[in-house]
Amino acid sequence: MHIPFCYINPYTIKSSSGYTFQLQEEESDFKTHYKALEIEYPKFYKMDRLSKMAFIALNHLTQEIEFDQFEDDEIHMIFGNTSASTFVDQLFSESYSLQKSPSPSLFVYTLPNILTGELAIFKKWYGENCFYVCESFDPILFADQIAFAFQKGAKGVLCGWVESIGNKHEALMFFVKNPVSELEIIELYNNLEK
Amino acid sequence: MAIIPIYIAPIALISPLGNDLEDHKIALAKNLSGIATQPKVGFGDENWPQAKINTLPEKNRFDHLLNIGLDKIAEKFESSLLEHESTLVIISSTKGNLDLLPLNPFDGIFEMVKTKWNLKHQPILISNACISGVVAIQKAADYLRFQKFHQVIVLGIDVLSDFVTYGFQSLFALSDEPCKPYDHNRKGINLGEAFGAVLLTKDANQSNIVFHQAITSNDANHISGPSRTGEGLYRSIRKLFEVTGVKASDIAFISAHGTATLYNDDMESQAFHRSELTNTPTFSLKGYFGHTLGAAGVIETIASLFCLQDGIAYKSLGFEEEGTTCAMHICRENTKTTSKFALKTASGFGGGNAALLMEIKS
């Protein structure tokens, strides 16, 4: 089965529609990736890295998927990673321990599920969503949750594995309109040629 | 499709109000609060009221509380059941052990649970801000309905930390007095810490309370501010009524979110008004437990189970004078209830909203 996806790391964007974008030097704020989208969404600049990657990946998926065909609550979101919001947690912690001024704008991003909130705001999606913290990429969890979502009336499920640890940032986003097996998810993940 | 009945039962509850379920049942019925002024806990050494468990050490409170909580669960269940093929564990926590920073605050949780028990299935960890606990219970029911599991243990835990205190202080969201959910003079939240665990099972012998369904909906509005119209919460409740066939007039009480911030409580009043729940007895438990983040959905569901068992709705501690955008029926005293359905709701950062329906069988 063809699963539309988008993969992002600090050098590369790659999507199942054939789009590829390469940078010579690592870019940790994803600004060049964002500019390549040619979309006006100033909120992007305030986002943390997890949300930025998810935002960019979603916009690339729109090349392949007409999200507008769905009602505003028919798309469920299932996201996960291993590090939750550790990267921003550390920045917020430094804002009070080193800079002596706790930063409210960092604090609001010290929750990993903020990224699903950002996508919901951008697309005006009112559907169900959940963020899981896992020991490692968990294809069984995704396959199970996708199956549950369809049982409960979802028409499409947007899935994401979005990680930001130290200098390692990467995101895999994929969209399914039917249940998929754990093996299909493993195959997708293993064939990314990161 | 025939819906398999799912039963829900409390297993464990640890908070400033006590160490077991019975302690809490008594304390809540007597309207005792776990909130007390904690000296110099603010960023500028302010005194903030908090619901603090005084017996926990200052360092690694999370690991200590989790450890005690897991032992409480083990008192109730044989390890042969916990380690059975048909058992799943779901954990709800928004922040984990922040003392581990700069390392991942969630790093130790799987390890701790798996060291206690030789579980057949990888535990699932949900971090969905303040609705995490209700979502964890919802997912537990999904695993029972759609897969071969027979029982799911859901535990919710979060602890007090400088990190979270300074964060809410930086948002000007803390109250310097015991919190007053839905009151005209509410000033904000008090933070708290707790551990709670519930069992969801297909075994009718375990409980006479049925878990019907839980629905979540995003506000699609703002990452840290609630919807002005209560849209997400309203949609959650509307859909919950649709799928269960239960009507607003069937609801005995609402155990609502009620953080005592200006905007949250106004938002809830709008959502309940739109759901025709204006006259339904409503209370917030934040005046008892403070806001316990990832634990809140679980411990407040446990308190709602007590209410169903005793046929009452708890007094909403801190409420004196009406002061929300839409009228509400806030419980000024413990209130006798006449129907068998309980509605539990939660809302949180990231725009999340959740509504959960339970029923006591006679």
Side-chain angles (χ1 to χ4, degrees):
Chain A
M1 188 167 94
H2 172 70
I3 301 177
F5 73 88
C6 181
Y7 174 76
I8 295 182
N9 67 29
Y11 306 95
T12 314
I13 305 174
K14 217 165 29 173
S15 78
S16 48
S17 64
Y19 180 88
T20 57
F21 180 88
Q22 300 274 354
L23 285 173
Q24 291 303 313
E25 302 230 336
E26 176 184 316
E27 185 189 78
S28 61
D29 62 5
F30 296 93
K31 269 186 197 157
T32 315
H33 289 57
Y34 167 73
K35 282 180 185 145
L37 287 173
E38 299 181 347
I39 288 179
E40 270 296 304
Y41 196 68
K43 275 188 192 146
F44 176 85
Y45 293 102
K46 294 185 195 163
M47 293 179 190
D48 71 329
R49 279 182 192 162
L50 293 178
S51 303
K52 280 181 172 165
M53 289 191 288
F55 178 84
I56 293 166
L58 175 63
N59 279 288
H60 282 287
L61 276 180
T62 56
Q63 303 296 317
E64 268 195 89
I65 300 143
E66 273 187 57
F67 286 113
D68 293 346
Q69 68 183 292
F70 299 96
E71 297 290 326
D72 63 8
D73 61 352
E74 286 181 343
I75 293 174
H76 292 201
M77 287 191 267
I78 300 165
F79 278 74
N81 71 10
T82 60
S83 64
S85 55
T86 303
F87 181 78
V88 188
D89 290 356
Q90 183 55 22
L91 293 179
F92 174 70
S93 161
E94 286 168 5
S95 79
Y96 62 80
S97 62
L98 301 178
Q99 285 104 45
K100 304 294 175 198
S101 171
S103 160
S105 54
L106 285 171
F107 182 65
V108 295
Y109 283 99
T110 62
L111 295 162
N113 67 301
I114 293 296
L115 86 87
T116 53
E118 292 281 16
L119 300 185
I121 293 165
F122 174 65
K123 298 297 281 182
K124 280 281 157 203
W125 282 342
Y126 296 88
E128 303 228 326
N129 57 63
C130 190
F131 199 100
Y132 299 88
V133 179
C134 310
E135 280 192 301
S136 58
F137 180 69
D138 190 343
I140 301 175
L141 176 73
F142 277 100
D144 287 347
Q145 294 303 326
I146 290 167
F148 299 167
F150 286 114
Q151 289 266 14
K152 301 202 301 181
K155 296 285 162 54
V157 183
L158 184 72
C159 299
W161 182 257
V162 185
E163 198 75 84
S164 172
I165 320 173
N167 290 322
K168 190 173 152 245
H169 330 292
E170 60 174 6
L172 167 66
M173 186 180 280
F174 59 99
F175 183 79
V176 293
K177 286 200 270 189
N178 292 292
V180 286
S181 69
E182 167 198 344
L183 289 175
E184 287 171 297
I185 297 171
I186 292 172
E187 199 182 310
L188 173 68
Y189 187 75
N190 287 343
N191 290 339
L192 286 172
E193 298 168 23
K194 300 170 192 173
Chain B
M1 184 180 70
I3 292 192
I4 306 159
I6 291 170
Y7 300 89
I8 181 167
I11 303 174
L13 183 48
I14 304 167
S15 85
L17 291 175
N19 289 318
D20 58 37
L21 297 171
E22 210 44 48
D23 290 347
H24 282 89
K25 209 169 184 174
I26 294 165
L28 291 165
K30 286 185 179 168
N31 308 130
L32 301 179
S33 173
I35 294 164
T37 297
Q38 302 298 331
K40 298 189 173 183
V41 290
F43 181 69
D45 286 342
E46 297 86 350
N47 306 332
W48 294 116
Q50 293 182 327
K52 182 177 180 180
I53 302 173
N54 289 319
T55 50
L56 292 177
E58 284 310 309
K59 267 281 168 202
N60 282 319
R61 305 173 77 75
F62 187 92
D63 288 0
H64 280 92
L65 183 58
L66 181 57
N67 210 16
I68 299 166
L70 294 177
D71 287 342
K72 290 273 178 194
I73 295 172
E75 285 172 17
K76 292 270 176 82
F77 298 103
E78 301 280 332
S79 60
S80 61
L81 180 86
L82 290 165
E83 296 174 355
H84 196 269
E85 180 68 29
S86 65
T87 304
L88 180 68
V89 174
I90 301 183
I91 303 155
S92 157
S93 179
T94 64
K95 289 311 307 168
N97 180 1
L98 286 160
D99 290 342
L100 292 177
L101 282 175
L103 297 176
N104 182 350
F106 290 95
D107 255 355
I109 299 180
F110 294 105
E111 198 64 32
M112 279 184 73
V113 176
K114 290 200 280 191
T115 305
K116 284 268 185 216
W117 304 313
N118 183 21
L119 299 173
K120 291 288 180 297
H121 301 277
Q122 174 73 4
I124 290 170
L125 206 165
I126 288 174
S127 182
N128 237 33
C130 307
I131 70 166
S132 299
V134 178
V135 173
I137 293 170
Q138 176 200 40
K139 297 297 172 190
D142 289 348
Y143 276 99
L144 293 173
R145 276 191 181 131
F146 303 133
Q147 285 197 345
K148 56 191 182 300
F149 293 98
H150 280 284
Q151 52 273 321
V152 182
I153 290 164
V154 176
L155 54 100
I157 173 168
D158 266 308
V159 295
L160 291 168
S161 61
D162 290 347
F163 183 108
V164 174
T165 303
Y166 299 169
F168 279 101
Q169 187 174 349
S170 76
L171 295 173
F172 301 99
L174 296 181
S175 169
D176 58 2
E177 292 169 25
C179 65
K180 299 171 75 67
Y182 309 113
D183 188 83
H184 180 72
N185 297 312
R186 64 189 182 276
K187 294 164 111 176
I189 68 175
N190 302 146
L191 291 164
E193 57 191 353
F195 172 95
V198 292
L199 171 73
L200 280 94
T201 173
K202 290 173 180 166
D203 180 1
N205 296 320
Q206 298 285 342
S207 177
N208 64 339
I209 298 179
V210 171
F211 167 92
H212 278 282
Q213 191 58 269
I215 301 287
T216 68
S217 174
N218 201 281
D219 277 332
N221 175 64
H222 195 278
I223 54 167
S224 58
S227 155
R228 295 272 165 146
T229 59
E231 184 65 18
L233 181 56
Y234 164 66
R235 284 179 181 237
S236 306
I237 295 168
R238 187 183 64 187
K239 194 164 176 199
L240 183 66
F241 288 169
E242 257 170 42
V243 298
T244 58
V246 169
K247 302 184 297 294
S249 56
D250 296 328
I251 302 296
F253 64 83
I254 310 169
S255 170
H257 192 53
T259 58
T261 64
L262 200 56
Y263 293 119
N264 172 79
D265 294 7
D266 275 343
M267 178 281 287
E268 286 183 82
S269 80
Q270 299 218 349
F272 295 145
H273 175 76
R274 293 173 69 189
S275 308
E276 298 177 2
L277 290 161
T278 301
N279 298 317
T280 308
T282 300
F283 59 87
S284 162
L285 291 156
K286 300 298 188 287
Y288 298 82
F289 296 116
H291 193 351
T292 57
L293 311 179
V298 177
I299 68 171
E300 293 174 9
T301 296
I302 293 173
S304 307
L305 294 169
F306 294 159
C307 286
L308 283 174
Q309 288 165 352
D310 292 344
I312 57 167
Y314 290 131
K315 172 182 177 176
S316 196
L317 267 186
F319 176 76
E320 288 166 315
E321 189 185 339
E322 288 175 22
T324 48
T325 311
C326 297
M328 305 177 81
H329 176 173
I330 303 300
C331 299
R332 291 176 184 272
E333 298 300 332
N334 292 347
T335 306
K336 265 199 173 318
T337 55
T338 48
S339 108
K340 297 176 183 309
F341 290 96
L343 178 62
K344 168 82 202 104
T345 66
S347 301
F349 279 8
N353 297 275
L356 181 160
L357 185 75
M358 299 181 291
E359 178 189 8
I360 189 162
K361 295 289 183 190
S362 34

Tab-separated table of all heavy atoms in Angstrom, chain B residues 32-73:
chain	number	residue	atom	x	y	z
B	32	LEU	N	-12.364	18.569	53.099
B	32	LEU	CA	-11.034	18.986	53.549
B	32	LEU	C	-10.167	19.313	52.334
B	32	LEU	O	-10.269	18.672	51.301
B	32	LEU	CB	-10.367	17.873	54.359
B	32	LEU	CG	-11.124	17.410	55.604
B	32	LEU	CD1	-10.359	16.287	56.313
B	32	LEU	CD2	-11.343	18.587	56.564
B	33	SER	N	-9.305	20.294	52.493
B	33	SER	CA	-8.417	20.682	51.391
B	33	SER	C	-6.982	20.257	51.683
B	33	SER	O	-6.526	20.315	52.827
B	33	SER	CB	-8.460	22.197	51.195
B	33	SER	OG	-7.474	22.568	50.241
B	34	GLY	N	-6.280	19.835	50.645
B	34	GLY	CA	-4.865	19.482	50.777
B	34	GLY	C	-3.952	20.668	50.525
B	34	GLY	O	-2.732	20.527	50.508
B	35	ILE	N	-4.538	21.835	50.308
B	35	ILE	CA	-3.740	23.001	49.929
B	35	ILE	C	-3.280	23.766	51.173
B	35	ILE	O	-4.073	24.018	52.080
B	35	ILE	CB	-4.570	23.925	49.008
B	35	ILE	CG1	-4.854	23.202	47.677
B	35	ILE	CG2	-3.842	25.247	48.754
B	35	ILE	CD1	-5.952	23.835	46.861
B	36	ALA	N	-2.001	24.114	51.205
B	36	ALA	CA	-1.461	24.919	52.310
B	36	ALA	C	-0.386	25.839	51.748
B	36	ALA	O	0.217	25.541	50.714
B	36	ALA	CB	-0.857	24.018	53.380
B	37	THR	N	-0.146	26.945	52.425
B	37	THR	CA	0.864	27.889	51.943
B	37	THR	C	2.257	27.288	52.102
B	37	THR	O	2.622	26.825	53.178
B	37	THR	CB	0.764	29.209	52.718
B	37	THR	OG1	-0.514	29.758	52.455
B	37	THR	CG2	1.839	30.198	52.268
B	38	GLN	N	3.000	27.290	51.005
B	38	GLN	CA	4.375	26.783	51.041
B	38	GLN	C	5.312	27.978	50.952
B	38	GLN	O	5.268	28.733	49.987
B	38	GLN	CB	4.617	25.827	49.865
B	38	GLN	CG	3.665	24.636	49.819
B	38	GLN	CD	3.781	23.745	51.035
B	38	GLN	OE1	4.845	23.644	51.663
B	38	GLN	NE2	2.677	23.105	51.398
B	39	PRO	N	6.162	28.142	51.972
B	39	PRO	CA	6.995	29.347	52.008
B	39	PRO	C	8.082	29.351	50.930
B	39	PRO	O	8.712	28.334	50.672
B	39	PRO	CB	7.613	29.319	53.411
B	39	PRO	CG	7.506	27.914	53.869
B	39	PRO	CD	6.347	27.292	53.152
B	40	LYS	N	8.273	30.494	50.316
B	40	LYS	CA	9.406	30.771	49.422
B	40	LYS	C	9.561	29.779	48.270
B	40	LYS	O	10.659	29.439	47.888
B	40	LYS	CB	10.707	30.821	50.226
B	40	LYS	CG	10.694	31.933	51.256
B	40	LYS	CD	12.060	32.091	51.882
B	40	LYS	CE	12.067	33.323	52.776
B	40	LYS	NZ	13.367	33.591	53.367
B	41	VAL	N	8.451	29.302	47.732
B	41	VAL	CA	8.562	28.370	46.604
B	41	VAL	C	8.525	29.100	45.262
B	41	VAL	O	8.794	28.503	44.218
B	41	VAL	CB	7.452	27.286	46.638
B	41	VAL	CG1	7.684	26.321	47.795
B	41	VAL	CG2	6.063	27.924	46.713
B	42	GLY	N	8.207	30.399	45.281
B	42	GLY	CA	8.128	31.144	44.033
B	42	GLY	C	9.508	31.533	43.515
B	42	GLY	O	10.512	31.406	44.223
B	43	PHE	N	9.536	32.034	42.283
B	43	PHE	CA	10.819	32.398	41.668
B	43	PHE	C	11.491	33.526	42.440
B	43	PHE	O	12.718	33.561	42.569
B	43	PHE	CB	10.603	32.803	40.205
B	43	PHE	CG	11.888	33.168	39.537
B	43	PHE	CD1	12.843	32.198	39.273
B	43	PHE	CD2	12.157	34.485	39.193
B	43	PHE	CE1	14.049	32.532	38.670
B	43	PHE	CE2	13.361	34.829	38.588
B	43	PHE	CZ	14.306	33.849	38.329
B	44	GLY	N	10.699	34.467	42.941
B	44	GLY	CA	11.237	35.541	43.775
B	44	GLY	C	10.987	35.264	45.250
B	44	GLY	O	10.715	36.186	46.014
B	45	ASP	N	11.030	33.971	45.627
B	45	ASP	CA	10.790	33.525	47.006
B	45	ASP	C	9.389	33.849	47.518
B	45	ASP	O	9.166	33.962	48.732
B	45	ASP	CB	11.831	34.110	47.970
B	45	ASP	CG	13.185	33.433	47.822
B	45	ASP	OD1	13.224	32.324	47.239
B	45	ASP	OD2	14.186	33.999	48.275
B	46	GLU	N	8.424	33.982	46.604
B	46	GLU	CA	7.042	34.184	47.041
B	46	GLU	C	6.525	32.927	47.756
B	46	GLU	O	6.967	31.817	47.484
B	46	GLU	CB	6.124	34.455	45.834
B	46	GLU	CG	6.439	35.711	45.053
B	46	GLU	CD	7.502	35.492	43.981
B	46	GLU	OE1	8.144	34.416	43.963
B	46	GLU	OE2	7.697	36.416	43.161
B	47	ASN	N	5.565	33.145	48.638
B	47	ASN	CA	4.851	32.015	49.248
B	47	ASN	C	3.655	31.696	48.355
B	47	ASN	O	2.832	32.570	48.117
B	47	ASN	CB	4.327	32.385	50.640
B	47	ASN	CG	5.428	32.912	51.540
B	47	ASN	OD1	6.589	32.555	51.367
B	47	ASN	ND2	5.058	33.744	52.495
B	48	TRP	N	3.567	30.469	47.891
B	48	TRP	CA	2.396	30.089	47.098
B	48	TRP	C	1.649	28.956	47.800
B	48	TRP	O	2.271	28.041	48.314
B	48	TRP	CB	2.789	29.590	45.700
B	48	TRP	CG	3.399	30.592	44.777
B	48	TRP	CD1	4.673	30.547	44.282
B	48	TRP	CD2	2.792	31.753	44.205
B	48	TRP	NE1	4.893	31.613	43.434
B	48	TRP	CE2	3.754	32.371	43.373
B	48	TRP	CE3	1.518	32.331	44.307
B	48	TRP	CZ2	3.497	33.536	42.655
B	48	TRP	CZ3	1.267	33.486	43.600
B	48	TRP	CH2	2.242	34.085	42.778
B	49	PRO	N	0.310	29.010	47.791
B	49	PRO	CA	-0.438	27.859	48.284
B	49	PRO	C	-0.269	26.697	47.299
B	49	PRO	O	-0.380	26.900	46.090
B	49	PRO	CB	-1.897	28.345	48.286
B	49	PRO	CG	-1.857	29.802	48.000
B	49	PRO	CD	-0.573	30.088	47.302
B	50	GLN	N	0.030	25.516	47.827
B	50	GLN	CA	0.200	24.335	46.976
B	50	GLN	C	-0.341	23.104	47.705
B	50	GLN	O	-0.385	23.087	48.934
B	50	GLN	CB	1.687	24.090	46.673
B	50	GLN	CG	2.320	25.162	45.800
B	50	GLN	CD	3.774	24.868	45.473
B	50	GLN	OE1	4.489	24.280	46.288
B	50	GLN	NE2	4.210	25.266	44.288
B	51	ALA	N	-0.707	22.098	46.944
B	51	ALA	CA	-1.121	20.822	47.550
B	51	ALA	C	0.093	19.897	47.527
B	51	ALA	O	0.325	19.170	46.560
B	51	ALA	CB	-2.288	20.218	46.788
B	52	LYS	N	0.872	19.964	48.603
B	52	LYS	CA	2.157	19.265	48.642
B	52	LYS	C	2.077	18.041	49.552
B	52	LYS	O	1.531	18.116	50.655
B	52	LYS	CB	3.219	20.237	49.179
B	52	LYS	CG	4.612	19.659	49.237
B	52	LYS	CD	5.615	20.697	49.706
B	52	LYS	CE	7.013	20.089	49.750
B	52	LYS	NZ	8.019	21.053	50.194
B	53	ILE	N	2.646	16.934	49.072
B	53	ILE	CA	2.722	15.720	49.903
B	53	ILE	C	3.977	15.849	50.761
B	53	ILE	O	5.106	15.738	50.265
B	53	ILE	CB	2.784	14.445	49.029
B	53	ILE	CG1	1.556	14.358	48.106
B	53	ILE	CG2	2.883	13.206	49.919
B	53	ILE	CD1	1.612	13.223	47.097
B	54	ASN	N	3.776	16.122	52.060
B	54	ASN	CA	4.922	16.491	52.904
B	54	ASN	C	5.875	15.341	53.181
B	54	ASN	O	7.022	15.561	53.569
B	54	ASN	CB	4.420	17.085	54.221
B	54	ASN	CG	3.822	18.463	53.993
B	54	ASN	OD1	4.352	19.267	53.218
B	54	ASN	ND2	2.685	18.731	54.627
B	55	THR	N	5.397	14.111	52.979
B	55	THR	CA	6.271	12.972	53.303
B	55	THR	C	7.269	12.650	52.192
B	55	THR	O	8.163	11.828	52.378
B	55	THR	CB	5.410	11.714	53.556
B	55	THR	OG1	4.492	11.580	52.470
B	55	THR	CG2	4.638	11.838	54.860
B	56	LEU	N	7.140	13.289	51.029
B	56	LEU	CA	8.098	13.015	49.946
B	56	LEU	C	9.388	13.794	50.174
B	56	LEU	O	9.348	14.924	50.670
B	56	LEU	CB	7.509	13.415	48.581
B	56	LEU	CG	6.339	12.604	48.047
B	56	LEU	CD1	5.850	13.204	46.726
B	56	LEU	CD2	6.722	11.143	47.847
B	57	PRO	N	10.548	13.204	49.823
B	57	PRO	CA	11.810	13.938	49.953
B	57	PRO	C	11.884	15.084	48.944
B	57	PRO	O	11.100	15.124	48.001
B	57	PRO	CB	12.874	12.884	49.640
B	57	PRO	CG	12.175	11.889	48.788
B	57	PRO	CD	10.738	11.884	49.213
B	58	GLU	N	12.816	16.014	49.117
B	58	GLU	CA	12.891	17.159	48.207
B	58	GLU	C	13.399	16.766	46.822
B	58	GLU	O	12.991	17.319	45.824
B	58	GLU	CB	13.765	18.279	48.801
B	58	GLU	CG	13.069	19.061	49.905
B	58	GLU	CD	11.663	19.564	49.528
B	58	GLU	OE1	11.530	20.186	48.452
B	58	GLU	OE2	10.710	19.304	50.283
B	59	LYS	N	14.314	15.795	46.786
B	59	LYS	CA	14.890	15.368	45.498
B	59	LYS	C	14.176	14.125	44.976
B	59	LYS	O	13.810	13.254	45.750
B	59	LYS	CB	16.384	15.060	45.665
B	59	LYS	CG	17.280	16.257	45.349
B	59	LYS	CD	17.440	16.424	43.841
B	59	LYS	CE	18.080	17.772	43.500
B	59	LYS	NZ	17.806	18.206	42.132
B	60	ASN	N	14.022	14.061	43.662
B	60	ASN	CA	13.411	12.887	43.021
B	60	ASN	C	12.045	12.521	43.585
B	60	ASN	O	11.752	11.347	43.819
B	60	ASN	CB	14.359	11.689	43.094
B	60	ASN	CG	15.450	11.796	42.056
B	60	ASN	OD1	15.202	12.194	40.916
B	60	ASN	ND2	16.660	11.485	42.457
B	61	ARG	N	11.235	13.526	43.833
B	61	ARG	CA	9.880	13.285	44.363
B	61	ARG	C	9.095	12.371	43.438
B	61	ARG	O	8.318	11.538	43.870
B	61	ARG	CB	9.097	14.606	44.479
B	61	ARG	CG	9.761	15.667	45.287
B	61	ARG	CD	8.998	16.993	45.194
B	61	ARG	NE	7.796	16.987	46.015
B	61	ARG	CZ	7.789	17.093	47.332
B	61	ARG	NH1	8.918	17.208	47.991
B	61	ARG	NH2	6.663	17.080	48.007
B	62	PHE	N	9.311	12.571	42.138
B	62	PHE	CA	8.554	11.793	41.156
B	62	PHE	C	8.822	10.297	41.330
B	62	PHE	O	7.888	9.495	41.424
B	62	PHE	CB	8.919	12.245	39.734
B	62	PHE	CG	8.069	11.614	38.667
B	62	PHE	CD1	6.912	12.232	38.226
B	62	PHE	CD2	8.413	10.389	38.100
B	62	PHE	CE1	6.112	11.649	37.245
B	62	PHE	CE2	7.621	9.793	37.124
B	62	PHE	CZ	6.467	10.435	36.690
B	63	ASP	N	10.120	9.933	41.382
B	63	ASP	CA	10.464	8.513	41.486
B	63	ASP	C	9.937	7.926	42.792
B	63	ASP	O	9.458	6.789	42.823
B	63	ASP	CB	11.974	8.318	41.389
B	63	ASP	CG	12.484	8.564	39.972
B	63	ASP	OD1	11.656	8.885	39.090
B	63	ASP	OD2	13.709	8.442	39.752
B	64	HIS	N	10.044	8.702	43.862
B	64	HIS	CA	9.545	8.204	45.146
B	64	HIS	C	8.040	7.960	45.102
B	64	HIS	O	7.554	6.926	45.544
B	64	HIS	CB	9.884	9.186	46.282
B	64	HIS	CG	11.289	9.046	46.760
B	64	HIS	ND1	12.334	9.786	46.261
B	64	HIS	CD2	11.832	8.223	47.690
B	64	HIS	CE1	13.458	9.436	46.852
B	64	HIS	NE2	13.186	8.486	47.733
B	65	LEU	N	7.324	8.939	44.566
B	65	LEU	CA	5.863	8.806	44.525
B	65	LEU	C	5.455	7.649	43.609
B	65	LEU	O	4.557	6.867	43.936
B	65	LEU	CB	5.226	10.131	44.068
B	65	LEU	CG	3.697	10.156	44.037
B	65	LEU	CD1	3.099	9.838	45.404
B	65	LEU	CD2	3.194	11.530	43.560
B	66	LEU	N	6.139	7.541	42.466
B	66	LEU	CA	5.810	6.445	41.541
B	66	LEU	C	6.053	5.096	42.212
B	66	LEU	O	5.237	4.177	42.122
B	66	LEU	CB	6.649	6.577	40.258
B	66	LEU	CG	6.403	5.520	39.172
B	66	LEU	CD1	4.944	5.487	38.735
B	66	LEU	CD2	7.303	5.754	37.962
B	67	ASN	N	7.168	5.017	42.923
B	67	ASN	CA	7.520	3.784	43.618
B	67	ASN	C	6.445	3.381	44.636
B	67	ASN	O	5.993	2.232	44.674
B	67	ASN	CB	8.861	4.009	44.319
B	67	ASN	CG	9.635	2.730	44.429
B	67	ASN	OD1	9.343	1.752	43.756
B	67	ASN	ND2	10.615	2.736	45.315
B	68	ILE	N	6.026	4.349	45.453
B	68	ILE	CA	4.997	4.075	46.464
B	68	ILE	C	3.693	3.688	45.762
B	68	ILE	O	3.003	2.753	46.167
B	68	ILE	CB	4.754	5.320	47.355
B	68	ILE	CG1	6.032	5.711	48.096
B	68	ILE	CG2	3.635	5.060	48.365
B	68	ILE	CD1	5.969	7.116	48.714
B	69	GLY	N	3.378	4.406	44.687
B	69	GLY	CA	2.143	4.137	43.956
B	69	GLY	C	2.118	2.744	43.351
B	69	GLY	O	1.104	2.034	43.438
B	70	LEU	N	3.234	2.346	42.752
B	70	LEU	CA	3.291	1.008	42.156
B	70	LEU	C	3.114	-0.065	43.238
B	70	LEU	O	2.456	-1.096	43.017
B	70	LEU	CB	4.618	0.812	41.407
B	70	LEU	CG	4.830	1.702	40.170
B	70	LEU	CD1	6.218	1.461	39.574
B	70	LEU	CD2	3.759	1.467	39.108
B	71	ASP	N	3.695	0.184	44.429
B	71	ASP	CA	3.517	-0.779	45.531
B	71	ASP	C	2.052	-0.866	45.969
B	71	ASP	O	1.564	-1.933	46.328
B	71	ASP	CB	4.405	-0.412	46.724
B	71	ASP	CG	5.870	-0.720	46.454
B	71	ASP	OD1	6.139	-1.520	45.523
B	71	ASP	OD2	6.746	-0.166	47.149
B	72	LYS	N	1.350	0.269	45.929
B	72	LYS	CA	-0.079	0.268	46.278
B	72	LYS	C	-0.865	-0.592	45.283
B	72	LYS	O	-1.795	-1.298	45.658
B	72	LYS	CB	-0.647	1.696	46.230
B	72	LYS	CG	-0.147	2.582	47.341
B	72	LYS	CD	-1.012	2.433	48.569
B	72	LYS	CE	-0.453	3.312	49.685
B	72	LYS	NZ	-1.042	2.955	50.987
B	73	ILE	N	-0.497	-0.483	44.009
B	73	ILE	CA	-1.171	-1.300	42.994
B	73	ILE	C	-0.895	-2.779	43.265
B	73	ILE	O	-1.795	-3.622	43.197
B	73	ILE	CB	-0.697	-0.901	41.574
B	73	ILE	CG1	-1.131	0.537	41.255
B	73	ILE	CG2	-1.256	-1.867	40.531
B	73	ILE	CD1	-0.562	1.088	39.962
